[in-house]
Amino acid sequence: MRKLTILGATGSVGLNTLDVVRRHPERFSVHALTACTRVAEMATLCREFAPALVVMADEPAAARLRLELADLPAIQVLSGQDGLCQAAEDTAACTVVAAIVGAAGLLPTLAAVRAGKRVLLANKEALVMSGQLFMDAVTASGAELLPIDSEHNAIFQCLPPTHVRNLDGAGVRRILLTASGGPFRSYTAEQLKTVTPAQACAHPNWSMGQKISVDSATLMNKGLELIEACWLFDTTPGCVEVHVHPESIIHSMVEYLDGSVLAQLGSPDMRTPIANGLAWPERIDAGVAPLDLFALGRFHFERPDVQRFPCLRLAAEAFEAGGTAPAALNAANEEAVAAFLAGRLCFADIPVVIERVLAATEVQPATDLDVIFACDRQARAGARELIAQRAI
Ligand code: NAD
Ligand code: MG
């Protein structure tokens, strides 16, 4: 029996994980669940999955949950970052699904890594912020890091398991990272100025949380994924080529020196990479609809347009700058996306804010978490100022 801790259980990835778990009660049980403030949803999950430990992001939410669960005194309810980290490193679970969105997931995800867990990584922002430190922690603890971001899981599946961080040794020429292009793929720069949060969140192929939906629409998601791929597979942006593939059926590819290109295909459904990570190296049913290639008929590929979607370029530049630059990029993006979702910033200004914050960032070596969080705070403050100036 594999005991799981799911960080971000009430989110899109969290709920997809629980759907896979539900199909395999003989294989998986839930030790701990965490969420931000959605008390009612968490109470429902507790009644179904009977975790031993639950953590809410703040104490008022935890207090409300304790009241809701008064008839289930065996469930311990904690709160805050300390509680999240305690859940992540608890020895009772061997596997942690890191599915909190954004920088809020860094400490708990890193706690799971440092505790040597099997870590299913969805929370790409954590890796983007702390790259080298994160991968050093994986090596030091012997944690089993399995990517469940669909593209990275596809790349992982197309590599020999012994060479995931040794692409040269595996004879890899390059990684072909696919992107849907998002809902505004064919919009003109002029049209991008007036798009709404509702339009940005209506992704053509995937149903996801709001933040990653906006990131997909700006192509920042692909930028974060480019950085994620560089850390996971120990490579550089020059060896990763983004291919816009609007059907989202090929989840990414690996090209080898002999000309072979291996691809992983499947319906755009997160339960496939999640099930792959949960059961790895075995294969289990994920409840995913089989692919009907006859119905699909054909695939398309385009180059990304970094004129209309500068976020991809900004992410590559931040990775090349190194140190704390990706943490600044991530923080500025989180602030700009939140402002866009709140109706305070226009879509086309998201990259403008990020570019200015990056230009004002004094990049430091990202040697410890204090430096990384200091950069995160400074970039957020800078972004908020710019957002206030450009407010709509
Ligand atoms: P979501 O918004 O649906 O869910 C986020 C989860 O994190 C929720 O459970 C929420 O309660 C929790 N959370 C948010 N803020 C928190 C805080 N401050 N403290 C503690 N918990 C907090 O997001 P999602 O779409 O499930 O994405 C989660 C992560 O997975 C993101 O990093 C995203 O980039 C990545 N990812 C998502 C998908 C997808 O299909 N949704 C695919 C690939 C990667
Ligand atoms: Mg992805």
Side-chain angles (χ1 to χ4, degrees):
M1 182 68 79
R2 191 171 270 282
K3 279 198 176 183
L4 312 176
T5 288
I6 304 172
L7 306 172
T10 52
S12 163
V13 172
L15 293 175
N16 274 307
T17 304
L18 288 167
D19 188 75
V20 177
V21 168
R22 193 180 278 128
R23 291 164 195 274
H24 301 279
E26 72 304 337
R27 249 179 205 273
F28 307 117
S29 69
V30 173
H31 170 65
L33 297 175
T34 84
C36 194
T37 49
R38 291 193 173 171
V39 170
E41 284 93 330
M42 182 55 103
T44 307
L45 294 179
C46 287
R47 292 188 189 283
E48 180 178 357
F49 292 97
L53 174 63
V54 178
V55 187
M56 303 301 292
D58 59 37
E59 189 45 35
R64 279 188 285 136
L65 185 64
R66 283 186 205 106
L67 278 181
E68 290 255 0
L69 299 177
D71 59 322
L72 296 172
I75 302 182
Q76 189 186 7
V77 181
L78 300 178
S79 66
Q81 280 282 338
D82 287 351
L84 291 170
C85 291
Q86 197 174 317
E89 62 200 18
D90 196 328
T91 49
C94 60
T95 299
V96 175
V97 181
I100 293 175
V101 60
L106 175 54
L107 286 179
T109 302
L110 206 52
V113 166
R114 287 174 170 161
K117 306 292 182 190
R118 171 179 286 201
V119 178
L120 272 59
L121 183 70
N123 180 205
K124 64 194 87 184
E125 298 91 344
L127 182 57
V128 166
M129 289 175 74
S130 67
Q132 188 68 57
L133 196 129
F134 190 105
M135 295 312 295
D136 287 350
V138 171
T139 308
S141 70
E144 192 179 23
L145 184 63
L146 299 176
I148 59 170
D149 202 346
S150 58
E151 296 78 359
H152 306 75
N153 182 263
I155 296 161
F156 178 80
Q157 291 196 46
C158 294
L159 288 170
T162 49
H163 285 68
V164 168
R165 290 182 52 70
N166 179 7
L167 299 190
D168 283 345
V172 170
R173 186 182 285 141
R174 58 182 183 143
I175 287 172
L176 282 60
L177 183 69
T178 54
S180 68
F184 309 136
R185 181 172 55 88
S186 51
Y187 281 39
T188 62
E190 205 47 41
Q191 285 174 305
L192 287 178
K193 288 184 183 159
T194 55
V195 298
T196 64
Q199 286 174 302
C201 290
H203 195 279
N205 305 329
W206 297 92
S207 156
M208 310 182 286
Q210 285 195 319
K211 192 260 177 183
I212 184 176
S213 296
V214 177
D215 285 349
S216 297
T218 59
L219 284 203
M220 180 54 91
N221 184 48
K222 216 42 60 181
L224 298 175
E225 290 186 356
L226 176 70
I227 299 176
E228 183 184 12
C230 289
W231 288 116
L232 286 172
F233 307 114
D234 196 12
T235 188
T236 55
C239 293
V240 182
E241 193 170 359
V242 175
H243 285 56
V244 174
H245 162 52
E247 290 84 7
S248 296
I249 298 295
I250 299 176
H251 299 304
S252 279
M253 297 171 260
V254 176
E255 183 181 82
Y256 288 88
L257 291 172
D258 63 6
S260 298
V261 177
L262 302 194
Q264 186 260 353
L265 286 72
S267 299
D269 188 322
M270 281 302 288
R271 291 175 299 176
T272 296
I274 291 167
N276 182 259
L278 287 175
W280 193 82
E282 291 178 61
R283 300 274 184 177
I284 56 172
D285 175 33
V288 174
L291 205 53
D292 183 349
L293 290 174
F294 296 118
L296 278 159
R298 61 188 65 198
F299 291 156
H300 295 86
F301 302 97
E302 297 165 11
R303 288 181 197 282
D305 180 348
V306 288
Q307 299 298 325
R308 280 180 304 138
F309 301 103
C311 287
L312 183 55
R313 168 180 61 79
L314 294 173
E317 287 172 5
F319 183 82
E320 300 286 4
T324 51
L329 170 98
N330 179 68
N333 181 55
E334 287 191 21
E335 292 296 322
V337 170
F340 168 67
L341 284 169
R344 288 188 286 111
L345 187 73
C346 106
F347 183 83
D349 278 346
I350 295 175
V352 175
V353 168
I354 299 165
E355 182 146 34
R356 294 199 182 166
V357 168
L358 280 176
T361 298
E362 256 185 61
V363 177
Q364 311 277 335
T367 41
D368 62 57
L369 285 175
D370 289 345
V371 177
I372 292 169
F373 280 118
C375 172
D376 174 276
R377 279 193 300 274
Q378 203 176 0
R380 283 176 200 273
R384 284 186 195 137
E385 239 173 75
L386 288 164
I387 290 163
Q389 287 163 15
R390 304 183 77 85
I392 48 178

